[in-house]
Amino acid sequence: MATPSSYRPAPGSIPTKPGVYRFRDAKGRVIYVGKAKSLRPRLSSYFQDIANLHPRTASMVTTGASVEWTVVDTEVEALQLEYSWIKEFDPRFNVKYRDDKSYPWLAVTVGEEFPRVMVGRGAKRKGTRYFGPYSHAWAIRETVDLLLRVFPMRSCSNGVFKRSAQIGRPCLLGYIDKCAAPCVGNVTAEEHREIVDDFCDFMAGNTAAFTKRLEREMYAASEALDFEKAARLRDDLGALNRALEKQAVVLRDGTDADVIALAEDPLEVAVQIFYVRGGRIRGQRGWVADRTDEGGTPELVQDFLLQLYGGETESIPREVLVPALPPDHDVLEELLTERRGSRVAIRVPQRGDKRDLQQTVATNAAQALALHKTKRASDLTTRNRALEEIQQSLGLDEVPLRIECYDVSNLQGTEVVASMVVFEDGLARKSEYRRFVIRGVDGQNDVASMHEVITRRFKRLLDEQSRVEPHDAPPAAAEGRAAAQAGPDDTQRPLLVDPETGRPRKFAYVPSLVVVDGGPPQVAAAQQALAELGINDVPVCGLAKRLEEVWLPGEEDPVIMARTSEGLYLLQRIRDEAHRFAINHHRGRRSKSMVESTLDDVPGLGEVRRKTLLKHFGSLKKLREAEVDEIALVPGIGPRTATAIKDAVAKVDATGKTAAKAPTVNTATGEIMED
């Protein structure tokens, strides 16, 4: 591993002008490309104390062995050069957006004498005009099939075209009027080119002109008593309308825009883009990338726009809607304007249809990221590799087949709760999840809360292990039992399954690894709790959320796992699941407190009647919407009590305290359930 000071440029040798820089490793490979308005302060920031750098940046500068730069005149030139170098060198530390699947294009080979329309995938070629991309190839083919009635251009392959020209007879499409048959000279190259141009204009969004023209021709034919032609034009108009119906109108002003949204987590980012032309969604595309630097959403947007439009000229729209403005959005706008040949605006939609559409795109991005994670987690080979990486990185004696993770949640020290989630063989075991209400800690003290929850969980483990059964127990008692561990002697073993219910005891299994959400203080608290109970064979680690560092007890420095490590990805999933479970528990507790505090002051309404009331209506929201007469119908609730209840919930509604989500009530038991 190189020391950054060994290749740091001499003081004053770095220019202060705009430029692009490259870091190379010991073998001369480019590992990172960046640009700067002023090269000197940007490059100097990489050579400060490594302890002050973000871990990903520290990994990059210690991997590097040299740095070089190129000075340019403007920031626009710097952007262009940065894109060129990223495409040329494919640096490992730059964010790389890769398609989450292959998207089909609608292509027109305008460079040929007789252009052809076709559906294709992959890289673009010169001399071809592209539309899309689209989500499904079958949807494009259906649309093209409809449009060929109106624009009978060539759609056959070169082999079919040449064969028809040789035999002097068109293919089937020529006979059913879905091709003008230029192969046999039915139309000239110029006439066929006009058909192609009209088709391209229609696909580009200029639809109103064609529909109006067909309507005029249809009415003219009808007035001329040429009903056969009028009927054919009517069918053509219907085909156009059906093709347009397949593309939903999302922006009423007919805007041409690319709508972009991101879904992020500390390790990966998913990007979705909707192509809107003429106010209609013409296509959709998605990418998933590993995060390799410390940039936030604005930096991710800038990297994405540069990669998306760096080599494009035809597909750049007039407006690009993004979730956050990139740091150099003025420079980026200038670059895109120069490439497009007309003004391009990069905006963050604040309200209206554009804002709603971007929220839809964001939902698609979140679903794409979730699907990507699900596919990644469901792969057995990947899970095995992740567990082996965790074992090697943490120096464990065995592969951690059962991992338990703990998280603490509170709101300014109130309603403090904790969660325990369990992953076995890399998969969530939700039946083993447990929730805790912290009782022995006052106020907001995550360290003490973590100590309490670890103590309570492993006290239960010791209690469960004290319940033993002889080896010669009848088979019925042992049915459904997991592999038992040896007890204090060879004649007894822990009773892991309740012989009466046949269910596993809640805390009877020893975890292979305990993960806590937090850094050294939380890890130390968990380790101390285990030591106080005399447990010294359960390994503990902590995962700090901000930098994704893995902390071990008593260690001054964290374990830095590679950003692309499957082991780190699994630890992050477990930690995030514990956080989600704790948050849901906390919300449920908070909602229950809100309901109880709302109805506590109602005279004559005790705990039993309160449960009956909530069981009847199902939620506080429905109770608030009910009339006094409806409330009075609940058994045990009279008109006077119903009026008092209505007044109580109305006061809460008026003061705005009901903004939180109303709790869900189990209609069978009357108990408030989790979100």
Side-chain angles (χ1 to χ4, degrees):
M1 182 178 294
T3 303
S5 59
S6 64
Y7 64 92
R8 178 174 185 169
S13 63
I14 307 176
T16 57
K17 293 183 177 181
V20 184
Y21 53 91
R22 294 180 289 187
F23 279 86
R24 294 182 181 269
D25 61 13
K27 295 183 179 180
R29 293 172 298 197
V30 176
I31 60 173
Y32 185 74
V33 173
K35 72 163 188 64
K37 296 179 182 178
S38 178
L39 286 169
R40 181 176 296 175
R42 175 63 61 83
L43 285 177
S44 298
S45 67
Y46 289 103
F47 296 98
Q48 57 181 300
D49 186 357
I50 293 182
N52 298 329
L53 293 176
H54 190 282
R56 294 185 288 271
T57 305
S59 177
M60 187 270 289
V61 297
T62 53
T63 304
S66 64
V67 62
E68 58 193 33
W69 57 84
T70 299
V71 176
V72 295
D73 293 331
T74 65
E75 294 179 53
V76 174
E77 292 181 14
L79 270 177
Q80 293 173 325
L81 184 58
E82 180 189 22
Y83 168 77
S84 299
W85 279 359
I86 289 175
K87 296 294 285 185
E88 179 181 355
F89 298 111
D90 191 24
R92 56 177 291 200
F93 284 99
N94 283 92
V95 177
K96 303 177 185 67
Y97 292 95
R98 297 182 174 88
D99 288 305
D100 55 359
K101 59 181 177 180
S102 176
Y103 288 84
W105 300 85
L106 177 62
V108 179
T109 58
V110 294
E112 299 180 359
E113 181 182 7
F114 296 100
R116 168 195 176 196
V117 60
M118 60 183 179
V119 178
R121 301 175 186 264
K124 296 181 178 180
R125 300 178 180 178
K126 291 183 178 180
T128 302
R129 187 171 179 181
Y130 291 90
F131 301 94
Y134 298 89
S135 301
H136 304 286
W138 58 264
I140 310 176
R141 293 190 175 95
E142 283 187 359
T143 302
V144 171
D145 186 63
L146 290 170
L147 293 180
L148 287 179
R149 285 183 52 92
V150 188
F151 309 105
M153 61 179 295
R154 173 194 165 203
S155 59
C156 60
S157 64
N158 290 332
V160 173
F161 185 84
K162 292 179 180 178
R163 181 175 179 276
S164 297
Q166 291 173 351
I167 64 177
R169 188 171 66 249
C171 63
L172 176 63
L173 293 177
Y175 284 108
I176 63 175
D177 296 329
K178 286 192 174 181
C179 178
C183 53
V184 294
N186 286 1
V187 293
T188 64
E190 291 75 16
E191 291 171 338
H192 186 263
R193 176 72 62 172
E194 291 179 2
I195 298 173
V196 172
D197 291 341
D198 288 345
F199 175 85
C200 292
D201 286 344
F202 183 87
M203 291 302 301
N206 301 324
T207 59
F210 292 102
T211 55
K212 290 180 180 179
R213 188 183 71 185
L214 285 180
E215 286 179 353
R216 289 196 301 268
E217 293 178 357
M218 179 182 66
Y219 290 130
S222 177
E223 292 175 357
L225 303 181
D226 190 350
F227 299 115
E228 184 177 347
K229 180 180 179 181
R232 186 176 67 253
L233 292 172
R234 178 203 60 199
D235 295 341
D236 291 348
L237 187 61
L240 284 185
N241 290 330
R242 287 195 299 276
L244 291 174
E245 287 172 359
K246 293 178 179 294
Q247 301 166 337
V249 176
V250 291
L251 299 178
R252 301 294 176 181
D253 56 358
T255 301
D256 290 347
D258 286 352
V259 187
I260 299 168
L262 282 69
E264 310 171 45
D265 66 20
L267 292 180
E268 294 175 304
V269 56
V271 183
Q272 286 282 318
I273 177 173
F274 280 15
Y275 299 92
V276 180
R277 298 296 182 267
R280 298 176 182 271
I281 298 177
R282 303 290 181 175
Q284 174 189 5
R285 199 175 182 186
W287 294 260
V288 177
D290 293 328
R291 299 187 68 162
T292 55
D293 56 34
E294 66 274 22
T297 301
E299 289 76 17
L300 289 171
V301 169
Q302 178 157 307
D303 290 340
F304 175 71
L305 293 181
L306 186 60
Q307 294 187 39
L308 179 64
Y309 299 122
E312 299 284 346
T313 55
E314 295 181 354
S315 61
I316 299 177
R318 291 179 296 181
E319 192 172 5
V320 180
L321 304 180
V322 295
L325 287 178
D328 303 322
H329 74 277
D330 293 336
V331 179
L332 201 52
E333 279 185 348
E334 185 179 347
L335 173 64
L336 298 184
T337 298
E338 179 182 316
R339 287 185 173 274
R340 187 177 190 271
S342 59
R343 174 67 178 167
V344 176
I346 302 176
R347 296 192 179 97
V348 178
Q350 301 296 329
R351 62 185 67 85
D353 292 341
K354 294 180 180 178
R355 175 64 177 171
D356 294 341
L357 178 58
Q358 189 173 63
Q359 290 177 346
T360 301
V361 182
T363 301
N364 280 265
Q367 291 176 349
L369 184 60
L371 180 61
H372 170 77
K373 287 180 173 294
T374 301
K375 290 180 178 178
R376 187 172 177 178
S378 62
D379 182 63
L380 177 61
T381 303
T382 302
R383 294 203 313 271
N384 291 339
R385 185 166 68 250
L387 294 173
E388 291 174 357
E389 289 178 359
I390 293 174
Q391 179 192 9
Q392 295 172 3
S393 299
L394 304 186
L396 305 179
D397 295 333
E398 58 183 14
V399 173
L401 296 180
R402 179 184 172 97
I403 302 176
E404 295 180 2
C405 184
Y406 299 84
D407 185 29
V408 176
S409 178
N410 68 83
L411 180 62
Q412 297 180 348
T414 62
E415 296 292 347
V416 184
V417 299
S419 67
M420 169 186 128
V421 300
V422 180
F423 274 57
E424 291 187 353
D425 197 20
L427 293 176
R429 185 76 177 272
K430 294 192 176 183
S431 63
E432 299 288 316
Y433 287 13
R434 298 292 178 261
R435 299 176 299 210
F436 301 84
V437 177
I438 304 300
R439 303 186 182 95
V441 180
D442 295 329
Q444 185 172 353
N445 190 334
D446 288 352
V447 175
S449 300
M450 186 63 70
H451 182 277
E452 177 181 326
V453 70
I454 295 294
T455 300
R456 288 167 55 185
R457 185 267 182 268
F458 283 92
K459 271 187 178 179
R460 290 290 300 274
L461 171 67
L462 297 178
D463 292 342
E464 299 288 358
Q465 287 187 336
S466 66
R467 304 182 184 186
V468 296
E469 60 176 345
H471 273 311
D472 57 354
E479 184 177 357
R481 183 185 299 112
Q485 299 177 352
D489 53 56
D490 291 338
T491 63
Q492 293 179 325
R493 60 189 175 193
L495 184 59
L496 303 183
V497 177
D498 191 325
E500 296 181 1
T501 64
R503 297 178 180 178
R505 295 189 180 276
K506 289 185 178 180
F507 296 97
Y509 295 94
V510 181
S512 305
L513 175 65
V514 169
V515 181
V516 298
D517 182 11
Q522 286 82 0
V523 174
Q527 184 69 22
Q528 180 183 353
L530 292 174
E532 291 172 353
L533 296 173
I535 299 175
N536 55 15
D537 58 348
V538 176
V540 179
C541 73
L543 185 60
K545 183 170 295 184
R546 189 173 72 88
L547 300 178
E548 302 298 328
E549 299 168 331
V550 182
W551 292 91
L552 297 177
E555 298 291 336
E556 295 184 0
D557 298 319
V559 176
I560 305 296
M561 301 179 70
R563 298 296 296 178
T564 57
S565 165
E566 292 295 338
L568 179 60
Y569 173 77
L570 177 58
L571 288 177
Q572 184 212 23
R573 279 206 311 123
I574 297 172
R575 188 270 319 280
D576 290 347
E577 178 69 357
H579 184 67
R580 179 199 66 80
F581 195 53
I583 288 293
N584 282 351
H585 187 201
H586 184 264
R587 286 175 179 168
R589 297 276 304 177
R590 196 168 70 236
S591 297
K592 183 176 181 180
S593 298
M594 183 186 70
V595 175
E596 291 179 346
S597 63
T598 301
L599 301 178
D600 272 347
D601 297 333
V602 177
L605 189 65
E607 182 178 354
V608 174
R609 289 185 178 181
R610 187 166 57 240
K611 285 187 176 181
T612 302
L613 190 68
L614 291 175
K615 179 181 178 180
H616 179 83
F617 288 101
S619 71
L620 183 61
K621 179 181 178 182
K622 292 182 179 179
L623 174 60
R624 196 163 47 242
E625 295 172 350
E627 299 296 334
V628 174
D629 295 340
E630 295 175 322
I631 299 175
L633 294 176
V634 178
I637 306 294
R640 183 179 300 177
T641 305
T643 303
I645 293 171
K646 183 65 177 178
D647 292 341
V649 296
K651 288 179 181 178
V652 174
D653 188 39
T655 56
K657 294 182 180 179
T658 59
K661 180 180 177 181
T664 303
V665 178
N666 187 325
T667 56
T669 63
E671 296 177 350
I672 298 175
M673 303 173 64
E674 291 289 332
D675 287 343

